[in-house]
């Protein structure tokens, strides 16, 4: 790991995406959302995604210009067809639009189809919580099948992340999880580094459970739903729910899909507590609940309870002050595009660079 100045990485990433053809304002927003993932500790979905996105822009898989088409709309809900616009850019717009509708109607919902890969859902949460909105986001990839249903061996689902941002009278709660026991990013990184998985989460073709990433990458095993072999019905249920929200509602489900596109279906819903018991009541209640969790007794030798978002926000503060931590493998993956597009990669350290 080496640390890099946040502003240096932001400027570099923006310039690299712009050199690949993305308009500068969009490039800046996409770059900031990738970096937000790194700041919050989701390094497999941060700048790690930059090379793939540059390649998609250059070969036309990602649409550089234009905007989405509103397929259906109502007072508090809209369906968008993104037609392969950059996933981070269109998802940020969907969050903003959902918040606008929630301010007017109490709840605002946007279903997006054919958004290019949206990366880390946690990156979007503070965009809503800063407006005292509760936000829920989930996504799926209709052409991707890597997760098995409970009791099965055949891959059916994508990993289907689920995220929520909950305002409190202090820092927000930031929840980012998945219906599967692992997202593909950490699994692929373990495979690349030759490491076993932290727990067995792959089921092989003969029904054995494995912690070897090669059983997934090379031998066609499937990722287990949350709960594993014993209680995987929990993750299976979540997978079906996320498919309904992010796929079927927007008309971008699995039936009739083919190819290897990483385009996502995305579901975004904002809730304005002011239309219910009130923002201050909501913030106070959730802040009290968070404090009760943190104050919970723990077993001897165990760390105090953390509420979702505590670690991520502490890590973000540290990296903004002391530099963003990047694994050498991430920089190595980016460097070929540095050479091709002529955008210099920043040097480690916090000093500003031109």
């Amino acid at each position: 790991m080496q640390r890099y100045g946040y502003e240096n990485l932001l400027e570099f990433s923006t310039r690299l995406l712009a050199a690949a053809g993305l308009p500068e304002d969009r490039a800046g927003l996409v770059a900031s959302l990738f970096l937000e993932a790194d700041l919050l500790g989701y390094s497999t979905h941060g700048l790690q995604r930059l090379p793939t996105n540059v390649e998609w822009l250059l070969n036309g898989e990602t649409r550089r210009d234009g905007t989405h088409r509103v397929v259906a709309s109502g007072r508090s809900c809209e369906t968008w067809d993104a037609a392969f616009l950059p996933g981070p850019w269109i998802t940020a717009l969907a969050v903003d639009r959902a918040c606008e509708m929630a301010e007017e109607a109490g709840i605002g919902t946007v279903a997006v189809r054919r958004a290019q890969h949206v990366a880390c859902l946690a990156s979007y949460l503070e965009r809503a919580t800063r407006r005292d909105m509760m936000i829920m986001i989930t996504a799926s990839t209709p052409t991707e099948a890597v997760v098995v249903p409970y009791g099965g061996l055949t891959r059916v689902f994508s990993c289907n992340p689920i995220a929520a941002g909950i305002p409190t009278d202090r820092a927000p709660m930031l929840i980012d999880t998945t219906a599967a026991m692992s997202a593909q990013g950490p699994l692929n990184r373990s495979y690349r580094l030759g490491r076993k998985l932290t727990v067995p989460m792959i089921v092989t073709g003969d029904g054995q459970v494995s912690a070897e990433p090669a059983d997934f990458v090379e031998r066609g095993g499937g990722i287990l739903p949350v709960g594993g072999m014993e209680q995987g019905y929990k993750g299976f249920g979540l997978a079906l729910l996320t498919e309904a929200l992010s796929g079927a509602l927007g008309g971008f489900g699995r039936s009739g899909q083919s190819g290897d596109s990483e385009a996502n279906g995305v579901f975004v819903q904002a809730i304005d507590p002011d239309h219910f018991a009130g923002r201050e009541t909501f913030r106070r209640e959730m802040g009290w609940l968070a404090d009760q969790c943190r104050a919970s007794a723990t077993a001897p030798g165990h760390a105090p309870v953390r509420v979702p978002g505590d670690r991520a926000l502490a890590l973000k503060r540290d990296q903004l002050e002391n530099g963003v931590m990047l694994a050498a493998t991430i920089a190595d993956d980016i460097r070929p595009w540095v050479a091709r597009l002529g955008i210099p990669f920043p040097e480690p350290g916090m000093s500003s660079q031109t």
Side-chain angles (χ1 to χ4, degrees):
M1 288 282 188
Q2 288 188 304
R3 288 186 182 258
Y4 299 81
Y6 172 82
E7 294 297 335
N8 296 336
L9 286 176
L10 179 60
E11 179 186 6
F12 160 75
S13 303
T14 300
R15 292 179 62 193
L16 192 70
L17 289 164
L22 196 61
E24 189 168 351
D25 59 335
R26 300 185 183 192
L29 180 54
V30 172
S32 71
L33 290 163
F34 284 153
L35 266 172
E36 184 74 4
D38 286 303
L39 290 175
L40 294 170
Y42 299 93
S43 62
T44 57
H45 287 66
L47 292 191
Q48 180 75 68
R49 301 291 313 183
L50 197 55
T52 304
N53 279 262
V54 168
E55 183 176 8
W56 287 338
L57 286 164
L58 290 172
N59 67 20
E61 288 185 63
T62 296
R63 183 158 63 100
R64 305 171 182 179
D65 301 302
T67 189
H68 60 278
R69 179 171 63 93
V70 178
V71 178
S73 65
R75 182 166 177 253
S76 62
C77 58
E78 293 182 354
T79 301
W80 296 358
D81 189 338
F84 306 101
L85 286 163
W89 181 76
I90 197 65
T91 303
L93 264 61
V95 170
D96 292 347
R97 179 61 183 138
C99 289
E100 290 170 4
M101 288 190 287
E103 286 177 354
E104 292 293 323
I107 295 176
T109 305
V110 180
V112 185
R113 65 192 189 207
R114 297 199 301 164
Q116 195 54 281
H117 193 277
V118 302
C120 176
L121 297 192
S123 296
Y124 309 98
L125 299 180
E126 285 191 280
R127 196 174 186 91
T129 59
R130 281 192 292 265
R131 300 171 66 161
D132 284 333
M133 296 283 175
M134 179 175 170
I135 188 81
M136 293 181 286
I137 311 173
T138 185
S140 58
T141 311
T143 60
E144 181 180 84
V146 293
V147 180
V148 300
Y150 178 61
L153 300 177
T154 304
R155 297 177 175 189
V156 175
F157 303 105
S158 44
C159 293
N160 293 17
I162 310 162
I166 304 172
T168 79
D169 53 4
R170 300 183 191 177
M173 299 180 188
L174 305 178
I175 301 168
D176 189 328
T177 186
T178 176
M181 286 192 71
S182 175
Q184 283 195 83
L187 197 155
N188 289 332
R189 179 175 288 179
S190 294
Y191 174 75
R192 180 175 179 178
L193 297 175
R195 297 173 181 168
K196 282 193 174 184
L197 303 171
T198 53
V199 295
M201 57 183 69
I202 306 301
V203 61
T204 62
D206 59 0
Q208 301 301 305
V209 181
S210 170
E212 293 289 348
D215 282 327
F216 170 76
V217 177
E218 297 179 10
R219 293 183 277 276
I223 305 172
L224 288 166
V226 164
M229 295 293 281
E230 291 77 22
Q231 294 188 321
Y233 54 85
K234 297 180 179 180
F236 182 27
L238 287 175
L240 291 167
L241 175 63
T242 55
E243 292 283 334
L245 294 173
S246 63
L249 278 181
F252 193 49
R254 296 186 176 274
S255 62
Q257 301 295 333
S258 61
D260 59 359
S261 168
E262 288 196 53
N264 292 158
V266 188
F267 173 86
V268 177
Q269 185 169 80
I271 301 174
D272 186 350
D274 237 11
H275 288 256
F276 296 83
R279 290 185 182 181
E280 290 309 311
T281 298
F282 183 88
R283 284 161 47 87
R284 183 176 62 252
E285 179 65 26
M286 294 311 298
W288 184 92
L289 185 59
D291 285 343
Q292 290 298 299
C293 293
R294 296 185 187 101
S296 173
T298 59
H302 283 242
V305 171
R306 290 195 308 251
V307 172
D310 284 354
R311 178 182 179 276
L313 291 172
L315 186 60
K316 178 178 177 177
R317 291 191 295 271
D318 170 73
Q319 292 192 97
L320 286 173
E321 181 177 349
N322 300 308
V324 181
M325 294 180 288
L326 287 187
T329 53
I330 296 176
D332 290 345
D333 288 345
I334 294 173
R335 291 189 196 282
W337 300 103
V338 167
R340 179 171 172 178
L341 297 176
I343 308 298
F345 193 79
E347 294 295 326
M350 294 293 289
S351 60
S352 60
Q353 298 164 26
T354 58

